[in-house]
Amino acid sequence: MLVDSDARDRAEYLQRPDYGRRLSTASRDTLLAAVPATPPDLVIVASDGLSTLSVMTQCAPLLKLLLPFFDGWTLGLLGAKLSLMLLGERPGLGSANSLGAYFTHHPTPGCTDADRNC
């Protein structure tokens, strides 16, 4: 499922990264309509962040290799016990294709960096 952040474009995202952490109203409504009765084990989110190239070239091959390790797990959209965020990292210094992977246990709004690690 493809969703959008609250940032209207890359320029606004760079000036207001907090907008990039929030869903657009339409995307929020779409996700809320798909809330499962039982919380899934895992949600995987891929975001271009600051490097669209890394997400476009690396996410599909990575997921092809990674998903068999989650055999038997339920995948979902909201309320998951664990999240995996695949994020295009800041390009530069020869790392334009850098893709970060961040696991968060019991992801919730307000979960700070002190509550998670990568």
Side-chain angles (χ1 to χ4, degrees):
M1 175 181 292
L2 183 62
V3 295
D4 297 308
S5 74
D6 216 16
R8 293 174 296 199
D9 53 36
R10 176 130 350 246
E12 184 174 54
Y13 169 68
L14 292 172
Q15 292 174 353
R16 293 294 308 266
D18 55 316
Y19 288 2
R21 294 184 196 106
R22 294 191 308 237
L23 289 170
S24 67
T25 301
S27 292
R28 188 177 318 110
D29 292 344
T30 299
L31 287 175
L32 287 175
V35 173
T38 304
D41 295 313
L42 176 68
V43 61
I44 299 174
V45 178
S47 175
D48 62 349
L50 295 174
S51 177
T52 302
L53 179 62
S54 67
V55 173
M56 297 301 292
T57 59
Q58 295 184 56
C59 275
L62 175 62
L63 289 173
K64 184 177 180 180
L65 294 171
L66 189 63
L67 286 177
F69 290 100
F70 295 112
D71 186 40
W73 291 43
T74 56
L75 301 179
L77 298 173
L78 294 177
K81 299 169 191 167
L82 182 69
S83 70
L84 170 57
M85 176 72 164
L86 301 174
L87 181 65
E89 300 289 1
R90 179 177 42 153
L93 301 176
S95 62
N97 292 331
S98 180
L99 183 71
Y102 301 85
F103 276 105
T104 302
H105 179 259
H106 190 64
T108 56
C111 185
T112 67
D113 288 344
D115 299 320
R116 62 180 177 256
N117 206 342
C118 62

